[in-house]
Amino acid sequence: FDPFRYLVYALFCTSSCWASDLYLPNILSDTGTSRPSRSEHPQGRPLPEECNAEAHTDYGGDPAFVWGMSFRVRDAAECCEACQAHARECYSPEVKGTLFWKPAISGEGKCGGHLLRGETVVCNTWVYCGEQQCFSFDIHNHSRGECWLKHVTNPERPEPWNGGEYPRVMRESPRELWPWAVSKEVWPLEMPQKNSWTAGVLTPPGGRVVHRDPEDRPDWHHKFCAKHGPC
């Protein structure tokens, strides 16, 4: 342990440094190589392997079981725990209205009896904002503590996947050309270099998360790159 090095890190590291130190288990890039893994998140508690936490990542999903702006948790680990609780407790329409999680900061999570193609679906995807403000292509101001619980069809290849860096050509384009022209009232800054969010999926035992880039990117990514790229 080098106390001087630790002090320098603590004084000069920003919130983006914390986000990059998540535990990253069992996640493969499109080259099939494992990414570096860490045992805990310095801003919160350790993240279990089954959370498959990934920094600078956001996943789509349908349905969304809670409205993240009013469902606020203390850290990424709690967001994952809430998703696990929903998967465990909200197993049928008969439990609709049952409280499955009380967040540490605000809100409450109740089972909604969500159906997809006639079958009950539960949470297998979580998305957490761990920065003071998190960028997103929408009309809302997203801030620290938001936790979104969602469902994806294939948790071992979750899509749409919005992870890593935004393409340089997208970041440097005029705001009106962004995939969604986010107003300056919502986001007065330039588009960040990397995605602001932290996300993960609940996989079956032994499951491994794979991303195919750019195939798994959101529609807005493909449309922008086709028109203004290459990305």
Side-chain angles (χ1 to χ4, degrees):
F1 176 75
D2 184 343
F4 177 76
R5 181 180 179 185
Y6 179 83
L7 177 61
V8 171
Y9 182 85
L11 288 174
F12 292 99
C13 187
T14 65
S15 60
S16 61
C17 299
W18 305 128
S20 67
D21 281 344
L22 282 165
Y23 183 30
L24 305 181
N26 294 339
I27 299 175
L28 303 181
S29 68
D30 55 353
T31 62
T33 57
S34 297
R35 302 181 182 183
S37 61
R38 304 281 174 87
S39 60
E40 66 179 279
H41 185 346
Q43 274 190 325
R45 295 163 297 143
L47 282 150
E49 182 176 349
E50 60 267 24
C51 291
N52 291 295
E54 189 172 4
H56 307 299
T57 298
D58 182 14
Y59 294 125
D62 183 34
F65 302 106
V66 298
W67 183 252
M69 296 177 68
S70 57
F71 190 84
R72 294 181 177 271
V73 299
R74 64 171 174 163
D75 56 17
E78 186 186 353
C79 191
C80 177
E81 289 169 348
C83 184
Q84 292 172 317
H86 185 278
R88 184 174 61 250
E89 303 293 338
C90 303
Y91 50 84
S92 75
E94 285 72 25
V95 296
K96 183 177 181 179
T98 300
L99 183 70
F100 71 88
W101 196 262
K102 184 65 177 176
I105 298 177
S106 65
E108 61 180 12
K110 291 186 176 181
C111 299
H114 293 85
L115 298 176
L116 185 64
R117 292 184 289 275
E119 296 185 0
T120 300
V121 291
V122 295
C123 182
N124 61 10
T125 307
W126 56 272
V127 181
Y128 171 72
C129 176
E131 300 189 7
Q132 182 174 355
Q133 187 174 2
C134 287
F135 178 81
S136 186
F137 289 112
D138 62 31
I139 62 173
H140 302 294
N141 188 324
H142 298 284
S143 57
R144 189 187 308 276
E146 288 187 26
C147 173
W148 296 80
L149 306 181
K150 310 177 184 181
H151 177 86
V152 292
T153 302
N154 181 4
E156 294 184 88
R157 188 178 172 183
E159 54 180 323
W161 162 64
N162 179 21
E165 293 189 4
Y166 293 105
R168 179 185 292 273
V169 65
M170 188 182 294
R171 301 196 311 266
E172 296 179 350
S173 67
R175 185 177 293 256
E176 58 270 19
L177 295 183
W178 290 4
W180 179 282
V182 183
S183 72
K184 290 188 176 181
E185 288 73 23
V186 171
W187 187 268
L189 308 174
E190 296 179 352
M191 188 185 304
Q193 180 178 354
K194 295 182 179 181
N195 187 292
S196 308
W197 300 79
T198 297
V201 290
L202 308 180
T203 58
R208 309 197 80 181
V209 180
V210 175
H211 300 314
R212 299 299 180 189
D213 194 1
E215 294 90 338
D216 296 344
R217 296 286 182 178
D219 286 343
W220 54 257
H221 179 101
H222 295 295
K223 291 177 181 178
F224 178 93
C225 294
K227 188 173 183 179
H228 304 289
C231 294

